[in-house]
């Protein structure tokens, strides 16, 4: 099963962000781990990252045709982008929302996510390992 892993704004500079919050890995290292975890679960992870909201939406549209599951960490867009919510809502495939940091314990504006009621599962505050948990969730539900 192919899984679309869609990371959003500012996740390309993960290695420059607060390691206490984000785990200290680079995006490349994170994607390498995600791909390896997926292989162990007999899944195929297709990782993408963009800082362009329109591109993120277009990638959602593209993945509608092939993704059996979706893992989304839209970064700050999670807190306000109804365009990204609308695009992710198009999937019949299960959606897992992932946040490296625990957004429920941070600034008030981060505590809300526009994805919270469309995600089949949410993995929050588990660092890079959260992506593995998201893959495990999708592997368990695979037909
Ligand atoms: C994030 C949390 C967001 O609030 C933040 O804007 C990010 C990353 C996370 O993975 O913890 O860019 O989605």
């Amino acid at each position: 099963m192919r899984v679309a892993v869609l990371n959003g704004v500012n996740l390309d500079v993960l290695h420059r962000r607060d390691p206490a919050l984000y785990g200290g890995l680079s995006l490349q290292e994170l994607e390498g781990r995600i791909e390896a975890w997926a292989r162990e679960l007999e899944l195929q992870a297709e990782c993408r990252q963009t800082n362009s909201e329109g591109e993120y939406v277009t990638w959602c549209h593209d993945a509608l045709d092939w993704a059996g599951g979706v893992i989304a960490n839209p970064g700050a867009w999670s807190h306000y982008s109804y365009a990204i919510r609308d695009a992710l809502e198009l999937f019949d495939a299960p959606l897992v929302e992932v946040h490296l940091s625990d957004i429920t314990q941070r600034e008030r504006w981060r505590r809300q996510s526009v994805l919270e009621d469309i995600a089949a599962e949410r993995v929050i505050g588990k660092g890079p390992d959260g992506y593995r948990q998201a893959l495990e969730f999708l592997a368990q539900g695979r037909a």
Side-chain angles (χ1 to χ4, degrees):
M1 181 171 95
R2 291 169 80 191
V3 176
V5 182
L6 303 175
N7 285 310
V9 63
N10 287 313
L11 289 166
D12 56 325
V13 287
L14 205 51
H15 58 292
R16 294 183 187 274
R17 300 181 77 180
D18 184 348
L21 289 170
Y22 295 112
L25 293 184
S26 67
L27 178 67
Q28 200 184 5
E29 288 164 336
L30 176 64
E31 290 183 343
R33 287 194 192 184
I34 293 168
E35 285 159 10
W37 288 326
R39 280 193 297 273
E40 285 169 20
L41 294 163
E42 296 179 11
L43 298 171
Q44 188 183 330
E46 315 240 348
C47 298
R48 290 176 179 177
Q49 185 278 332
T50 180
N51 291 324
S52 157
E53 189 179 13
E55 189 166 46
Y56 196 97
V57 167
T58 299
W59 285 350
C60 290
H61 297 171
D62 290 346
L64 289 174
D65 291 330
W66 55 262
V70 183
I71 296 174
N73 181 355
W77 292 324
S78 315
H79 309 302
Y80 65 87
S81 173
Y82 298 114
I84 284 176
R85 179 201 155 96
D86 283 351
L88 288 167
E89 200 177 15
L90 292 170
F91 283 97
D92 290 327
L95 167 67
V96 186
E97 176 181 3
V98 172
H99 297 284
L100 293 152
S101 64
D102 186 354
I103 57 172
T104 69
Q105 300 298 317
R106 297 182 64 194
E107 302 94 320
R108 186 176 294 276
W109 60 267
R110 280 187 214 272
R111 295 183 198 158
Q112 191 180 334
S113 162
V114 295
L115 306 184
E116 61 192 15
D117 62 324
I118 61 167
E121 178 74 325
R122 305 179 77 211
V123 186
I124 293 172
K126 305 286 185 188
D129 208 48
Y131 289 84
R132 187 168 59 79
Q133 291 183 29
L135 288 163
E136 284 168 355
F137 174 84
L138 293 173
Q140 277 160 20
R142 144 178 68 193

